Each structure stands twice: as structure tokens, then as C-alpha cells.
Amino acid sequence: MWSFSKIAGIIDNWLNQTFSPAIALTIEMVLVGVLVIGLFALLGLVLVIMERKVSAYMQIRLGPNRVGPKGMLQSLADTLKLMVKEGLTPKGADKFLFNLAPFVAMIGAMLVMAPIAFARNFQMWDLNIGVLYITAISSLSVIAILIAGWASNNKYSLLGAMRSGAQIVSYELSAGLSILAIVVLTGSLQLSDIINAQANGWWIFKGHIPVVVAFVIFLVTVTAETNRAPFDLAEAESELTAGFHTEYSGMKFALFFLAEYINVFIVCAIGATLFLGGWMPLHIGSWQGFNHVMDYIPSSLWFFGKTFFLIFVIMWFRWTFPRLRIDQLLNLEWKYLLPISMFNLLLITIMAIMGWHF
């Protein structure tokens, strides 16, 4: 299978031959940081235009079609607009925390990128507790939202932040149980082990109905955790003007806006890794001929194809379902998703012990 590992190996060998190990490691870390920032910028441009085009498709209209060929440069126009807008700090706001919150949101998103395998042998840090690391660091996003809501000195911002806190903390339980289902089947928290365990078939196919249930619950809960419609109560325009980022403008607003899309990409990448094999091609048992043909498709295309498919599904949710009330949102989690997740995890544990999966 083709991957970026050879390119990364060449760069690593050259740096170690040219510089001392400490300097080479420092340069590599800087290069990785620059690449992640570049990836964030590129994903922001791509996902914004994708959101506009998907919504237009769902509503049977054209969408943006003026800036660039078929409106493909609309994201650049939006970025330029946000860059030249003045960033204001409200009177009475906590200036330090108000300015800090957007950076906390972006830092959390950057940290979660570390253990994700974008292709075969191509990830920043193959951590042996990768799943635990992701679930822990992803919880930082709610801190940024709470800081932004409180520091803005605005009642709508504070109400939106409190809603978001209740929402994210609640739905993290079911999301964690869905992720734990794959950990139980694999027997490892390391993402590379989870991907390798799917060499003869993805867990969505090998794990029978319980894994399909876990996958559906995962999609619902991560949609809620990223504050996407129909769970966007933290920024409900009809009730809270813009929610926790009401007082933000210019690049500070752009950072929150970008962090939301980056988080959507991250949760979809995690879902693709856990349930759909990550970069692993579609392999079916002992079908050697079929598996060999699938291996010719680059591993990075498998990863990004699965991830963007899940992103499309989450965008599909936004333009299909109406927004829930806060009581409906919490009832859905505590009365339905959490009990189902707990019972489903028990079934998967029994299935793993008995070896009933493929």
C-alpha cells in the first residue's frame, strides 16, 4: 500500500544526518506544527464551501456561484472579509479571558490531531493510550466555550455557554461508551492496533448489529458535541443571537468558526478510524484477489474518503432535522442514548469474550 511514510523517512534521515538529534527533533516538531496549521487552513476553506454546496444541494438551489468557477473561491472571500474586520472587545468584558478563549479552542483541536493516522505509517504520535488521549483532550473544547461565554459580559453569551457545557458533558458519556465498544473488541487503546485489527474487515462489518448501534450513537453524540444542528442550542440564532460568540468579530470569531469545522473533521476522522478501518483498505476475509486490488488505492485516499463521507452525513443532519429544545436534547441523552449505550456495551463485551465477531 502506498503512503507518505517514505517521504517522512527521507526527511527524517536527512535531518538526522545533517544536524544533531536534538536539533533534528526540534526541526521536525516545527515542521509538523506548520503542516498542522496549513492543514487547518486548507480544511477550513474546503469545509466551508462543502457546507454551502451541501446545503444548496439539500434545498435544490445553486449555492455560491459568483466568486471563482462555480463559487469555489467563496471561502477565500469569506476569509478575506474576516481578516479585514475590526476585532472589538466589549466594555466590561474580561479582556484577557475574552482574547484567550479562541486560542484555547484552536489549541485543543491541534492537540487531538497528534495520534490520528492520516495514512499507513503516517501519524504524528502513535500513543499507546491514543483513544484515552483523544477523549481527554477533546473535552477541552467546552472550557473554551465557557470562558468565551463568561468573559463576554453578555447574557446571551453566558446562556449559550451554559447550554453548551450541559450538552457536551452529557453527550460525552454516550460517545465514550461507543468508543469503548471498539476498545473492548480490539483489546487495545492504541489507534494503530485498532486499525490493524481491521485488516480482514472493518469493525462496522465484523462486529454485527451491536457495533452498528454503537456507530449510530457515536454519530449522533459527536454531532451534539460539536454543537452542530440539530443540537446547536449553544448558538441558536433565533434565541441567543449567536450564542457564546455573540460578542466576537474579526479573526477572533474566525478562530471559533474554524475550530468548529476542525472539530467536525476530527470526530469524523476518529469515527472513520474506529469503525471504518481508518486508512485500511476494504478487505474481505480470505478474498485475496479482491483485497490485492483494494491495496492499490492509496491509504491516504481511503482515510480522507471515509472521513469526508462522515462529514457529509453530519452536514446532512443539519439540513434535515429541526433544532431540538434544551429539554428534548437532555432527555434524548439521559433517557435513551445512555441506557442503550450501556446495554450495547454489555452485549459487545459478551460478544468479545465469546469470540462471536468475525
Side-chain angles (χ1 to χ4, degrees), residues 208-253:
H208 306 295
I209 294 177
V211 173
V212 175
V213 173
F215 178 63
V216 172
I217 292 175
F218 176 83
L219 276 183
V220 173
T221 53
V222 296
T223 303
E225 284 203 54
T226 51
N227 289 321
R228 297 278 305 178
F231 304 99
D232 58 338
L233 290 170
E235 48 191 88
E237 295 88 353
S238 58
E239 306 167 31
L240 305 176
T241 60
F244 65 91
H245 52 63
T246 296
E247 298 292 352
Y248 284 89
S249 60
M251 284 307 296
K252 296 172 190 173
F253 171 78

Side-chain angles (χ1 to χ4, degrees), residues 185-202:
L185 288 172
T186 306
S188 174
L189 291 168
Q190 194 164 353
L191 291 185
S192 59
D193 290 343
I194 293 174
I195 295 171
N196 291 330
Q198 301 175 77
N200 61 341
W202 305 338

Side-chain angles (χ1 to χ4, degrees), residues 9 13 16 25 28 34 38 100 113 119 176 189 196 200 224 241 293 306 317:
N13 290 333
N16 281 290
L25 180 61
E28 287 178 355
V34 171
L100 178 66
M113 283 280 191
L189 291 168
N196 291 330
N200 61 341
T241 60
V293 171
K306 297 169 189 176
F317 289 166

Side-chain angles (χ1 to χ4, degrees), residues 178 181-182 185 198 202-218 274-276 344-345 347-348 351 357:
S178 299
I182 301 301
L185 288 172
Q198 301 175 77
W202 305 338
W203 280 123
I204 193 73
F205 301 128
K206 295 198 302 178
H208 306 295
I209 294 177
V211 173
V212 175
V213 173
F215 178 63
V216 172
I217 292 175
F218 176 83
L274 297 178
F275 296 94
L276 304 178
N344 193 57
L345 180 61
L347 284 180
I348 289 177
M351 189 172 68
H357 56 83

Side-chain angles (χ1 to χ4, degrees), residues 51 53 104 126 210 221 224 250 286:
E51 178 88 82
K53 290 294 186 181
V104 174
D126 189 14
T221 53
S286 58

Side-chain angles (χ1 to χ4, degrees), residues 229-339:
F231 304 99
D232 58 338
L233 290 170
E235 48 191 88
E237 295 88 353
S238 58
E239 306 167 31
L240 305 176
T241 60
F244 65 91
H245 52 63
T246 296
E247 298 292 352
Y248 284 89
S249 60
M251 284 307 296
K252 296 172 190 173
F253 171 78
L255 288 177
F256 273 120
F257 191 66
L258 179 60
E260 178 182 324
Y261 281 106
I262 296 302
N263 285 327
V264 171
F265 173 83
I266 288 171
V267 297
C268 290
I270 294 168
T273 300
L274 297 178
F275 296 94
L276 304 178
W279 55 261
M280 187 67 69
L282 177 60
H283 289 165
I284 301 178
S286 58
W287 294 18
Q288 296 299 330
F290 176 83
N291 296 342
H292 189 63
V293 171
M294 292 294 101
D295 288 344
Y296 278 105
I297 301 175
S299 57
S300 55
L301 289 184
W302 280 109
F303 173 80
F304 283 103
K306 297 169 189 176
T307 301
F308 275 92
F309 168 74
L310 295 182
I311 292 173
F312 170 77
V313 172
I314 287 180
M315 290 181 177
W316 191 356
F317 289 166
R318 176 173 183 175
W319 304 107
T320 305
F321 301 109
R323 181 183 295 134
L324 301 177
R325 297 195 311 265
I326 186 66
D327 60 315
Q328 293 172 329
L329 181 141
L330 294 176
N331 282 339
L332 174 63
E333 164 62 14
W334 293 103
K335 290 185 179 179
Y336 298 98
L337 294 182
L338 184 59

